[in-house]
Amino acid sequence: MNSTKKNPYIPMPVRIDAITIENDEKDLKTFRLVFTEKNDATAFRHSCGQFAMLSVAGTGEIPIGIASSPSDEGYIEFTVKRYPTGSVTTALHDLSEGDIIGVRGPLGNSFPLASLEGRNLLIIGGGFAFTTLRATIRYLRNAEMRKKYGNITILYGARNPGELLYKKELEEWQKAGDTTTVVTVDKADDTWKGREGLVPNVLYELAPKSENATAIVCGPPIMLKFTMPPLLKLGFTPDNIITSLERKMSCGIGKCGRCNVGSKYVCKDGPVFTYAETMAMED
Ligand SMILES: Cc1cc2nc3c(=O)[nH]c(=O)nc-3n(C[C@H](O)[C@H](O)[C@H](O)COP(=O)(O)OP(=O)(O)OC[C@H]3O[C@@H](n4cnc5c(N)ncnc54)[C@H](O)[C@@H]3O)c2cc1C
Ligand code: FES
């Protein structure tokens, strides 16, 4: 029986199957996790944009966006940034393949992909907030899903080439041609042959059409702040811009009030909101 159905506070055990170091700083790692109980694996069905609580015994529990696609069979993935003073992220980064941790979820709402069928999608990501967008892109590139959408334009930026996540996949997407994938870095180095420039500036250059289009945007607050004006200028209305919020969380299921912004619980009503909804929030 799935333990989370009985008690939503009890984590499911998962084994770390693989760890990928994503960046030059080595403070971003992707953890591939496999459920140790078959029933838990069957019960865990997520949608793009959702998160889960990851727990390390004796340390604590943290919310992390699900980076794998719902169509990835047999495992789930999370990309975690380690904060030097962060107890849980540091404990996670110190673990090895084969170690057991806990997962509670999937939690929160998701990107409304079903209601966006037939539309063009503009997917904009910056920094490590790109994780749930990576899940979304993997999902949409699946042959069955891809034909349900119009043009898919991806714009992803990182501080420098060494900080780009999922480098092999980015190359694959660029070569495949079923999306327009534009990767940019704030500051290039000698190795970088691609684009240099901040995400909002590159967005102005690309000038994607807003007709029949929805933008999904996830990134650090500073990127979001400077990406909204170009989007609005290009004709994307606040209802047609979707984003994801981050807040400190405890229960993750709308019980403790740790994550609320005004009357909304980010863990339960979000983390996905339209830009229009975030503008109406009191905080
Ligand atoms: C819905 C949701 C999805 C998330 N998805 C991801 C994800 O995919 N990958 C990921 O790495 N993180 C993600 N986070 C953030 C993650 O939850 C925090 O980084 C984590 O809780 C830090 O735990 P800690 O115990 O290591 O650090 P804490 O002890 O909580 O904090 C230690 C230090 O790190 C700083 N810090 C903590 N969180 C952040 C932050 N988000 N930004 C900047 N500084 C911070 C604190 O200010 C403090 O100085 C997500 C958060 C939410 C709410
Ligand atoms: S984290 Fe407890 S209510 Fe959202």
Side-chain angles (χ1 to χ4, degrees), residues 51 62-65 79-81 83 85-89 128 131 246-249:
F51 67 98
I62 52 171
I64 299 290
T79 302
V80 181
K81 181 173 171 74
Y83 290 99
T85 54
S87 49
V88 182
T89 55
F128 69 85
T131 57
E246 268 193 28
R247 275 290 182 280
K248 292 267 180 195
M249 289 183 184

Side-chain angles (χ1 to χ4, degrees), residues 11 33-35 60 64 146 183 191-192 210 223 230 235 256 268 279:
L33 308 176
V34 174
F35 288 95
I64 299 290
R146 182 63 194 89
V183 181
T191 64
W192 183 243
S210 58
M223 187 203 94
C256 71
K268 197 169 83 142
M279 288 197 303

